[in-house]
Coordinates of all heavy atoms in Angstrom, one line a residue:
I1 N 3.0 8.9 -4.5 CA 2.9 7.8 -5.5 C 1.4 7.3 -5.6 O 0.6 7.6 -4.7 CB 3.8 6.6 -5.0 CG1 3.4 6.0 -3.7 CG2 5.2 7.0 -5.1 CD1 4.1 4.8 -3.3
T2 N 1.1 6.6 -6.6 CA -0.2 6.1 -6.9 C -0.2 4.6 -6.9 O 0.6 4.0 -7.6 CB -0.8 6.7 -8.2 OG1 -0.8 8.1 -8.1 CG2 -2.2 6.3 -8.4
L3 N -1.1 4.0 -6.2 CA -1.3 2.6 -6.2 C -2.6 2.2 -6.7 O -3.6 2.8 -6.3 CB -1.1 2.0 -4.7 CG -1.4 0.6 -4.5 CD1 -0.2 -0.2 -5.1 CD2 -1.5 0.3 -3.0
S4 N -2.7 1.3 -7.7 CA -4.0 0.8 -8.2 C -4.1 -0.7 -8.1 O -3.0 -1.4 -8.2 CB -4.2 1.3 -9.6 OG -3.3 0.7 -10.5
Y5 N -5.2 -1.2 -7.8 CA -5.4 -2.6 -7.6 C -6.9 -3.0 -7.9 O -7.8 -2.2 -7.8 CB -5.0 -3.1 -6.3 CG -5.8 -2.6 -5.1 CD1 -6.7 -3.3 -4.5 CD2 -5.6 -1.3 -4.6 CE1 -7.5 -2.8 -3.4 CE2 -6.3 -0.8 -3.6 CZ -7.2 -1.6 -2.9 OH -8.0 -1.0 -1.9
I6 N -7.0 -4.3 -8.3 CA -8.3 -4.8 -8.6 C -8.5 -6.1 -7.8 O -7.8 -7.1 -8.2 CB -8.5 -5.1 -10.1 CG1 -8.3 -3.8 -10.9 CG2 -9.9 -5.7 -10.4 CD1 -8.3 -4.0 -12.4
P7 N -9.3 -6.2 -6.8 CA -9.4 -7.4 -6.0 C -10.1 -8.5 -6.8 O -11.0 -8.2 -7.6 CB -10.3 -7.0 -4.9 CG -10.3 -5.5 -4.8 CD -10.0 -5.0 -6.2
A8 N -9.6 -9.7 -6.7 CA -10.2 -10.8 -7.3 C -11.5 -11.4 -6.6 O -12.3 -12.0 -7.2 CB -9.2 -12.0 -7.5
A9 N -11.5 -11.1 -5.3 CA -12.7 -11.5 -4.5 C -13.2 -10.4 -3.7 O -12.4 -9.5 -3.2 CB -12.3 -12.7 -3.7
T10 N -14.5 -10.3 -3.4 CA -15.1 -9.3 -2.6 C -14.7 -9.6 -1.1 O -14.8 -10.8 -0.7 CB -16.6 -9.2 -2.7 OG1 -16.9 -8.8 -4.1 CG2 -17.2 -8.2 -1.8
G11 N -14.3 -8.6 -0.4 CA -14.0 -8.8 1.0 C -13.1 -7.7 1.6 O -12.9 -6.7 0.9
N12 N -12.7 -7.9 2.8 CA -11.8 -6.9 3.5 C -10.4 -6.9 2.8 O -9.9 -7.9 2.4 CB -11.6 -7.3 4.9 CG -12.9 -7.0 5.7 OD1 -13.6 -6.0 5.5 ND2 -13.1 -7.9 6.7
S13 N -9.9 -5.7 2.7 CA -8.5 -5.5 2.2 C -7.9 -4.4 3.1 O -8.5 -3.6 3.7 CB -8.5 -5.1 0.7 OG -9.0 -3.8 0.6
A14 N -6.5 -4.5 3.1 CA -5.8 -3.6 3.9 C -4.5 -3.3 3.1 O -3.8 -4.2 2.6 CB -5.5 -4.1 5.3
I15 N -4.1 -2.0 3.1 CA -2.8 -1.6 2.5 C -2.0 -0.9 3.6 O -2.4 0.0 4.2 CB -3.0 -0.7 1.3 CG1 -3.9 -1.4 0.3 CG2 -1.7 -0.3 0.7 CD1 -4.4 -0.5 -0.9
T16 N -0.8 -1.4 3.8 CA 0.1 -0.9 4.8 C 1.5 -0.6 4.3 O 2.0 -1.4 3.4 CB 0.2 -1.9 6.0 OG1 -1.1 -2.3 6.4 CG2 0.9 -1.3 7.2
L17 N 2.1 0.4 4.7 CA 3.5 0.7 4.3 C 4.4 0.5 5.5 O 4.2 0.9 6.6 CB 3.5 2.2 3.9 CG 4.9 2.7 3.4 CD1 5.2 2.1 2.0 CD2 4.9 4.3 3.2
F18 N 5.5 -0.2 5.2 CA 6.5 -0.5 6.2 C 7.9 -0.1 5.8 O 8.2 0.0 4.5 CB 6.6 -2.1 6.4 CG 5.4 -2.7 6.9 CD1 4.4 -3.2 6.0 CD2 5.2 -2.8 8.2 CE1 3.3 -3.9 6.5 CE2 4.0 -3.5 8.7 CZ 3.1 -4.0 7.8
T19 N 8.8 0.2 6.7 CA 10.2 0.4 6.4 C 10.8 -1.0 6.0 O 10.2 -2.0 6.2 CB 11.0 1.0 7.6 OG1 10.9 0.0 8.7 CG2 10.5 2.3 8.0
I20 N 12.0 -0.9 5.4 CA 12.6 -2.2 5.0 C 12.9 -3.1 6.2 O 12.9 -4.4 6.0 CB 13.9 -1.9 4.2 CG1 14.3 -3.1 3.4 CG2 15.0 -1.4 5.1 CD1 13.5 -3.6 2.3
D21 N 13.0 -2.6 7.4 CA 13.2 -3.5 8.5 C 11.9 -3.9 9.3 O 12.0 -4.4 10.3 CB 14.3 -2.8 9.5 CG 13.8 -1.5 10.0 OD1 12.7 -1.0 9.6 OD2 14.5 -1.0 10.9
G22 N 10.8 -3.6 8.6 CA 9.5 -4.1 9.2 C 8.7 -3.2 10.1 O 7.7 -3.5 10.6
K23 N 9.2 -1.9 10.3 CA 8.5 -1.0 11.1 C 7.3 -0.4 10.3 O 7.5 0.1 9.2 CB 9.4 0.2 11.6 CG 8.7 1.1 12.5 CD 9.6 2.3 12.9 CE 8.9 3.3 13.7 NZ 9.7 4.5 13.9
K24 N 6.1 -0.5 10.9 CA 4.9 0.1 10.3 C 5.0 1.6 10.2 O 5.2 2.3 11.2 CB 3.6 -0.3 11.0 CG 2.4 0.1 10.4 CD 1.2 -0.1 11.3 CE 0.1 -1.0 10.7 NZ -1.0 -1.1 11.6
V25 N 4.9 2.1 9.0 CA 5.0 3.6 8.8 C 3.6 4.2 8.7 O 3.3 5.2 9.4 CB 5.7 3.9 7.5 CG1 5.8 5.4 7.2 CG2 7.2 3.4 7.5
M26 N 2.7 3.6 7.9 CA 1.3 4.1 7.8 C 0.4 3.0 7.3 O 0.8 2.2 6.5 CB 1.3 5.4 6.9 CG 1.5 5.1 5.5 SD 1.3 6.6 4.4 CE 2.8 7.5 4.8
E27 N -0.9 3.1 7.7 CA -1.9 2.3 7.2 C -2.6 3.2 6.1 O -3.1 4.2 6.4 CB -2.9 1.9 8.3 CG -3.9 0.8 7.8 CD -4.6 0.1 8.9 OE1 -3.9 -0.3 9.9 OE2 -5.8 0.1 8.8
I28 N -2.5 2.7 4.9 CA -3.0 3.5 3.7 C -4.4 3.3 3.5 O -5.1 4.3 3.2 CB -2.1 3.1 2.5 CG1 -0.7 3.4 2.8 CG2 -2.6 3.9 1.3 CD1 0.3 2.8 1.9
D29 N -4.9 2.2 3.6 CA -6.3 1.9 3.3 C -6.8 0.6 4.0 O -6.0 -0.3 4.2 CB -6.5 1.7 1.8 CG -7.9 1.8 1.3 OD1 -8.8 2.5 2.0 OD2 -8.3 1.3 0.2
N30 N -8.0 0.6 4.3 CA -8.6 -0.6 5.1 C -10.1 -0.6 4.9 O -10.7 0.4 5.1 CB -8.2 -0.5 6.5 CG -8.5 -1.8 7.3 OD1 -9.0 -2.7 6.7 ND2 -8.1 -1.8 8.5
G31 N -10.7 -1.7 4.4 CA -12.1 -1.7 4.3 C -12.6 -2.8 3.3 O -11.7 -3.6 2.8
V32 N -13.8 -2.9 3.1 CA -14.4 -3.9 2.2 C -14.3 -3.4 0.7 O -14.7 -2.3 0.4 CB -15.9 -4.2 2.5 CG1 -16.5 -5.2 1.6 CG2 -16.0 -4.7 4.0
R33 N -13.8 -4.2 -0.2 CA -13.7 -3.9 -1.6 C -14.4 -5.0 -2.4 O -14.5 -6.1 -2.1 CB -12.2 -3.9 -2.0 CG -11.4 -2.9 -1.2 CD -11.7 -1.4 -1.5 NE -11.1 -0.6 -0.6 CZ -11.6 0.1 0.4 NH1 -12.9 0.0 0.6 NH2 -11.0 1.0 1.1
E34 N -15.0 -4.5 -3.5 CA -15.7 -5.3 -4.5 C -14.8 -6.0 -5.5 O -13.9 -5.4 -6.0 CB -16.7 -4.5 -5.2 CG -17.8 -4.0 -4.4 CD -18.8 -3.2 -5.2 OE1 -19.1 -3.6 -6.4 OE2 -19.3 -2.1 -4.7
A35 N -15.0 -7.3 -5.8 CA -14.3 -8.0 -6.8 C -14.4 -7.3 -8.1 O -15.5 -6.9 -8.5 CB -14.7 -9.4 -6.8
G36 N -13.3 -7.3 -8.9 CA -13.3 -6.8 -10.3 C -13.4 -5.3 -10.4 O -13.3 -4.8 -11.5
K37 N -13.5 -4.5 -9.4 CA -13.6 -3.1 -9.4 C -12.2 -2.5 -9.2 O -11.4 -2.9 -8.3 CB -14.5 -2.5 -8.4 CG -14.7 -1.0 -8.4 CD -15.7 -0.6 -7.4 CE -15.8 0.9 -7.4 NZ -16.7 1.4 -6.4
K38 N -11.8 -1.5 -10.0 CA -10.5 -0.9 -9.9 C -10.5 0.1 -8.8 O -11.3 1.0 -8.8 CB -10.0 -0.3 -11.2 CG -8.6 0.3 -11.2 CD -8.2 0.8 -12.5 CE -6.7 1.3 -12.5 NZ -6.3 1.8 -13.8
Y39 N -9.5 0.1 -7.9 CA -9.3 1.0 -6.8 C -8.0 1.7 -7.0 O -7.0 1.1 -7.3 CB -9.4 0.4 -5.5 CG -10.7 -0.2 -5.1 CD1 -11.1 -1.5 -5.5 CD2 -11.7 0.6 -4.5 CE1 -12.3 -2.0 -5.2 CE2 -12.9 0.1 -4.2 CZ -13.3 -1.2 -4.5 OH -14.5 -1.7 -4.3
V40 N -8.0 3.0 -6.9 CA -6.8 3.8 -7.0 C -6.6 4.6 -5.7 O -7.5 5.3 -5.2 CB -6.9 4.8 -8.2 CG1 -5.6 5.7 -8.3 CG2 -7.1 4.0 -9.5
K41 N -5.4 4.5 -5.1 CA -5.1 5.2 -3.9 C -3.8 6.0 -4.0 O -2.8 5.5 -4.5 CB -4.9 4.1 -2.8 CG -4.8 4.7 -1.4 CD -6.2 5.3 -1.0 CE -6.0 5.8 0.4 NZ -7.2 6.5 0.8
R42 N -3.9 7.3 -3.7 CA -2.8 8.2 -3.8 C -2.1 8.2 -2.4 O -2.8 8.4 -1.4 CB -3.2 9.6 -4.2 CG -2.2 10.6 -4.3 CD -2.1 11.1 -5.8 NE -1.1 12.1 -5.9 CZ 0.1 11.9 -6.3 NH1 0.4 10.8 -6.7 NH2 1.0 12.9 -6.4
I43 N -0.8 8.0 -2.4 CA -0.1 7.9 -1.1 C 0.9 9.1 -1.1 O 1.7 9.3 -1.9 CB 0.7 6.6 -1.1 CG1 -0.2 5.4 -1.3 CG2 1.4 6.5 0.3 CD1 0.5 4.1 -1.6
D44 N 0.7 9.9 0.0 CA 1.6 11.0 0.2 C 2.9 10.6 0.9 O 2.8 10.2 2.1 CB 0.9 12.1 1.0 CG 1.7 13.3 1.2 OD1 2.8 13.5 0.6 OD2 1.3 14.2 2.1
V45 N 4.0 10.6 0.2 CA 5.3 10.2 0.8 C 6.2 11.4 1.0 O 7.4 11.2 1.3 CB 6.0 9.1 -0.1 CG1 5.1 7.8 -0.2 CG2 6.2 9.6 -1.5
S46 N 5.7 12.5 0.9 CA 6.5 13.8 1.0 C 7.2 13.9 2.4 O 8.2 14.5 2.5 CB 5.7 15.0 0.7 OG 4.6 15.2 1.7
R47 N 6.6 13.3 3.4 CA 7.2 13.4 4.8 C 8.2 12.3 5.1 O 8.7 12.2 6.2 CB 6.2 13.6 5.8 CG 5.4 14.9 5.7 CD 4.5 15.2 6.8 NE 3.3 14.4 6.6 CZ 2.4 14.0 7.5 NH1 2.7 14.3 8.8 NH2 1.4 13.3 7.2
L48 N 8.3 11.3 4.2 CA 9.2 10.2 4.5 C 10.6 10.5 4.0 O 10.8 11.2 3.0 CB 8.6 8.9 3.7 CG 7.2 8.5 4.1 CD1 6.8 7.3 3.3 CD2 7.2 8.1 5.6
I49 N 11.6 9.9 4.7 CA 12.9 10.1 4.3 C 13.2 9.1 3.1 O 12.5 8.1 2.9 CB 13.9 9.8 5.4 CG1 13.8 8.4 5.9 CG2 13.7 10.8 6.5 CD1 14.9 8.0 6.9
R50 N 14.2 9.5 2.3 CA 14.4 8.6 1.2 C 14.9 7.2 1.6 O 15.5 7.1 2.7 CB 15.4 9.2 0.2 CG 16.8 9.5 0.8 CD 17.6 10.1 -0.2 NE 18.9 10.5 0.5 CZ 19.9 11.1 -0.1 NH1 19.8 11.5 -1.4 NH2 20.9 11.4 0.6
G51 N 14.6 6.2 0.8 CA 15.0 4.9 1.2 C 14.1 3.8 0.6 O 13.3 4.1 -0.3
V52 N 14.2 2.6 1.1 CA 13.5 1.5 0.6 C 12.3 1.2 1.5 O 12.5 1.1 2.7 CB 14.3 0.2 0.4 CG1 13.5 -0.9 -0.2 CG2 15.5 0.5 -0.6
Y53 N 11.1 1.0 1.0 CA 9.9 0.7 1.8 C 9.2 -0.5 1.2 O 9.4 -0.8 0.0 CB 9.0 1.9 1.8 CG 9.5 3.1 2.5 CD1 10.4 4.0 1.9 CD2 9.2 3.3 3.9 CE1 10.9 5.1 2.6 CE2 9.8 4.4 4.6 CZ 10.6 5.3 3.9 OH 11.1 6.4 4.6
I54 N 8.3 -1.1 1.9 CA 7.5 -2.2 1.5 C 6.1 -1.8 1.6 O 5.6 -1.3 2.6 CB 7.8 -3.4 2.4 CG1 9.3 -3.8 2.5 CG2 6.9 -4.6 2.0 CD1 9.9 -4.3 1.2
I55 N 5.3 -2.1 0.5 CA 3.9 -1.9 0.5 C 3.3 -3.3 0.6 O 3.6 -4.1 -0.3 CB 3.4 -1.1 -0.7 CG1 3.8 0.3 -0.6 CG2 1.8 -1.2 -0.7 CD1 3.4 1.1 -1.8
Q56 N 2.4 -3.5 1.6 CA 1.7 -4.8 1.7 C 0.2 -4.6 1.4 O -0.4 -3.8 2.1 CB 1.9 -5.4 3.1 CG 1.3 -6.7 3.4 CD 1.4 -7.1 4.8 OE1 1.2 -6.4 5.7 NE2 1.9 -8.4 5.0
V57 N -0.3 -5.4 0.5 CA -1.7 -5.4 0.2 C -2.3 -6.7 0.6 O -1.9 -7.7 0.0 CB -2.0 -5.1 -1.3 CG1 -3.5 -5.0 -1.6 CG2 -1.3 -3.8 -1.8
I58 N -3.2 -6.7 1.6 CA -3.8 -8.0 2.0 C -5.2 -8.0 1.6 O -6.0 -7.1 1.9 CB -3.7 -8.1 3.6 CG1 -2.3 -8.1 4.1 CG2 -4.5 -9.3 4.0 CD1 -2.2 -8.1 5.6
G59 N -5.6 -9.0 0.8 CA -6.9 -9.1 0.3 C -7.5 -10.4 0.8 O -6.9 -11.2 1.5
T60 N -8.8 -10.7 0.4 CA -9.5 -11.9 0.9 C -8.8 -13.1 0.3 O -8.6 -14.1 0.9 CB -10.9 -11.9 0.4 OG1 -11.5 -10.7 1.0 CG2 -11.7 -13.1 0.9
D61 N -8.3 -13.0 -1.0 CA -7.8 -14.1 -1.7 C -6.3 -14.3 -1.7 O -5.7 -15.3 -1.9 CB -8.3 -14.1 -3.1 CG -7.9 -12.9 -3.9 OD1 -7.7 -11.8 -3.2 OD2 -7.8 -12.9 -5.1
K62 N -5.5 -13.1 -1.5 CA -4.1 -13.2 -1.5 C -3.5 -12.0 -0.9 O -4.1 -11.0 -0.6 CB -3.6 -13.4 -2.9 CG -3.7 -12.1 -3.8 CD -3.1 -12.4 -5.2 CE -3.3 -11.1 -6.0 NZ -2.6 -11.3 -7.3
T63 N -2.2 -12.1 -0.6 CA -1.4 -11.0 -0.1 C -0.3 -10.7 -1.1 O 0.4 -11.6 -1.6 CB -0.7 -11.4 1.3 OG1 -1.8 -11.6 2.2 CG2 0.1 -10.2 1.8
T64 N -0.1 -9.4 -1.4 CA 0.9 -8.9 -2.3 C 1.9 -8.0 -1.6 O 1.4 -7.1 -0.9 CB 0.3 -8.2 -3.5 OG1 -0.7 -9.1 -4.1 CG2 1.3 -7.8 -4.6
I65 N 3.1 -8.2 -1.9 CA 4.1 -7.3 -1.3 C 5.0 -6.7 -2.4 O 5.5 -7.4 -3.2 CB 5.0 -8.1 -0.3 CG1 4.2 -8.6 0.9 CG2 6.2 -7.2 0.2 CD1 4.9 -9.6 1.8
K66 N 5.2 -5.4 -2.4 CA 6.0 -4.7 -3.3 C 7.0 -3.8 -2.7 O 6.7 -3.2 -1.6 CB 5.1 -3.8 -4.2 CG 4.1 -4.5 -5.1 CD 4.7 -5.2 -6.2 CE 3.6 -5.9 -7.0 NZ 4.2 -6.6 -8.2
K67 N 8.1 -3.7 -3.2 CA 9.2 -2.9 -2.7 C 9.2 -1.6 -3.5 O 9.0 -1.6 -4.7 CB 10.6 -3.6 -2.9 CG 11.7 -2.8 -2.4 CD 13.0 -3.5 -2.3 CE 13.4 -4.2 -3.6 NZ 14.7 -4.8 -3.6
I68 N 9.3 -0.4 -2.8 CA 9.4 0.8 -3.5 C 10.6 1.6 -3.0 O 11.0 1.4 -1.8 CB 8.1 1.7 -3.3 CG1 7.9 2.1 -1.8 CG2 6.9 1.0 -3.9 CD1 6.9 3.1 -1.6
I69 N 11.1 2.4 -3.8 CA 12.3 3.3 -3.4 C 11.9 4.7 -3.5 O 11.3 5.2 -4.6 CB 13.5 3.0 -4.4 CG1 13.9 1.5 -4.2 CG2 14.6 3.9 -4.0 CD1 14.9 1.1 -5.2
I70 N 12.1 5.4 -2.5 CA 11.8 6.9 -2.4 C 13.1 7.6 -2.5 O 14.0 7.4 -1.7 CB 11.0 7.3 -1.2 CG1 9.6 6.6 -1.1 CG2 10.8 8.8 -1.1 CD1 8.9 6.8 0.1
S71 N 13.2 8.4 -3.6 CA 14.4 9.2 -3.7 C 14.0 10.6 -4.1 O 13.0 10.9 -4.7 CB 15.3 8.6 -4.8 OG 14.7 8.6 -6.0
R72 N 14.9 11.5 -3.7 CA 14.6 12.9 -4.0 C 15.7 13.6 -4.8 O 16.8 13.3 -4.7 CB 14.4 13.7 -2.8 CG 13.3 13.1 -1.9 CD 12.6 14.0 -1.0 NE 11.9 13.4 0.1 CZ 10.8 12.7 0.0 NH1 10.3 12.4 -1.2 NH2 10.2 12.2 1.0

């Protein structure tokens, strides 16, 4: 899957993938990001079993949580 985001403020950001019950599956990205710049991250989910997962994006100004469904 592909995730794109544009931080509103410059600072540290982290993207993490969790199972629906809260177990950390993988840390996708972590580092300093510039405000207003578009970032695109490709996530390899080929080794994950099908099901519902949570992607958490933590930025300097806010935290966003999205639910994704992996099906084959």
